[in-house]
Amino acid sequence: RLGVLPCFLPSSAMDFVDSVDSVDVVRIRWQKARGYPMCDAARHSLAVRLDGATLEPADISIWSEGPEDAVPLEFLFAGAPSDCDEQRLGDALRTAVEERLQAEARAEFRSQLKRRQESSLRRRKSNSAEEGDAAEEKWRSYLQKPAPEVKLKVHKVFDAGTRMRKVMGCRVSLSPEAAQELGKICFRHVFESEEEERERLQRLKWYEDPFLTCFYGCSCVLILVVVLWLCMLLPAVFRHF
């Protein structure tokens, strides 16, 4: 049965909803995300498994209809089996979205807990009561926030492909909190606020940053090439002396 999905979201999504007209703003952001490539990690984590086949969403975009108090989204799965069961695909997608959002909630809890522990450690070293009080207040505020429901509802599963290639479409609606969090997973540059981006970059290890990984990797290759070049050049130079 296709129906409503209960789930819990990180508090960052609640902060967003508390501060703006959530449905309208989230819909506008999903409209802005049209045409952007979806994050590869999001494709992998939102993949559905059906009859031994793994289907990754080729794209997620907003569609024009749907409930007024929710955000309507359309998932497209390319390369679906010819005998793909629509009911089972809807159920599998519902499970995949639920698990992904719950994993995001657990990751945020660990992140918030780690920040509190780091703040407590800094407070002991510096004897700064103000910094500790602010950190404890943020932690209590995080714990006291209610966990909203995702309210994911599957409206339609349909064949959007051609004779040459089967593409399955799945139209769903989610609560604004869920759609905002899903947007940050799939199109982070569109949905992430400046403060969230700043905090994320501060916690990022160098090997988790694609730019730094590429920079250091290329630097190591260049250094290795220079060393090899010197190893071949120096013997030839010394033979002339």
Side-chain angles (χ1 to χ4, degrees):
R1 185 176 59 86
L2 303 180
V4 176
L5 169 67
C7 186
F8 300 104
L9 291 175
S11 64
S12 58
M14 285 297 292
D15 294 339
F16 174 84
V17 173
D18 290 342
S19 60
V20 295
D21 296 328
S22 58
V23 176
D24 293 337
V25 173
V26 175
R27 287 189 178 200
I28 289 172
R29 289 189 173 182
W30 273 103
Q31 289 283 0
K32 184 179 178 181
R34 276 184 177 273
Y36 283 109
M38 184 177 166
C39 174
D40 289 336
R43 283 198 180 94
H44 302 330
S45 62
L46 291 170
V48 300
R49 288 156 185 81
L50 203 63
D51 296 330
T54 300
L55 304 179
E56 295 184 355
D59 187 37
I60 305 175
S61 60
I62 192 168
W63 54 291
S64 57
E65 301 176 7
E68 294 182 358
D69 60 343
V71 179
L73 297 177
E74 181 179 86
F75 290 71
L76 292 178
F77 296 93
S82 57
D83 57 347
C84 181
D85 187 285
E86 297 180 0
Q87 177 78 25
R88 293 179 59 197
L89 177 60
D91 292 339
L93 174 61
R94 198 169 52 189
T95 300
V97 173
E98 176 186 22
E99 291 177 350
R100 183 64 184 88
L101 292 176
Q102 287 180 343
E104 196 70 16
R106 290 191 295 269
E108 187 187 7
F109 176 80
R110 289 192 295 268
S111 175
Q112 293 283 351
L113 181 60
K114 183 178 180 181
R115 287 187 212 170
R116 177 175 180 261
Q117 293 171 341
E118 291 174 348
S119 176
S120 299
L121 184 60
R122 287 195 302 268
R123 181 179 57 180
R124 293 194 200 100
K125 291 181 178 180
S126 63
N127 294 323
S128 175
E130 292 183 1
E131 180 180 352
D133 292 341
E136 286 298 320
E137 185 63 31
K138 288 182 180 179
W139 174 250
R140 285 194 294 268
S141 176
Y142 168 75
L143 293 179
Q144 290 172 359
K145 285 186 177 179
E149 291 184 342
V150 172
K151 298 181 181 178
L152 188 152
K153 184 176 181 180
V154 179
H155 295 273
K156 184 180 181 182
V157 179
F158 59 97
D159 188 348
T162 63
R163 293 182 179 179
M164 300 298 295
R165 191 179 189 190
K166 190 175 183 67
V167 177
M168 296 300 296
C170 188
R171 289 181 173 177
V172 306
S173 62
L174 300 91
S175 67
E177 302 94 329
Q180 166 66 14
E181 198 63 29
L182 185 63
K184 286 198 295 184
I185 293 171
C186 300
F187 306 99
R188 187 169 58 194
H189 63 288
V190 176
F191 288 83
E192 195 174 50
S193 67
E194 292 183 2
E195 181 179 355
E196 290 172 335
E197 182 182 13
R198 186 164 52 252
E199 291 181 355
R200 177 178 57 81
L201 292 177
Q202 288 175 350
R203 299 193 305 268
L204 202 64
K205 303 291 190 302
W206 71 266
Y207 52 82
E208 297 174 335
D209 188 323
F211 172 77
L212 290 179
T213 303
C214 181
F215 174 77
Y216 288 136
C218 292
S219 298
C220 291
V221 171
L222 288 175
I223 292 173
L224 180 61
V225 170
V226 171
V227 170
L228 292 175
W229 178 75
L230 290 174
C231 289
M232 292 185 293
L233 178 64
L234 290 178
V237 171
F238 289 146
R239 280 197 296 268
H240 290 281
F241 295 98

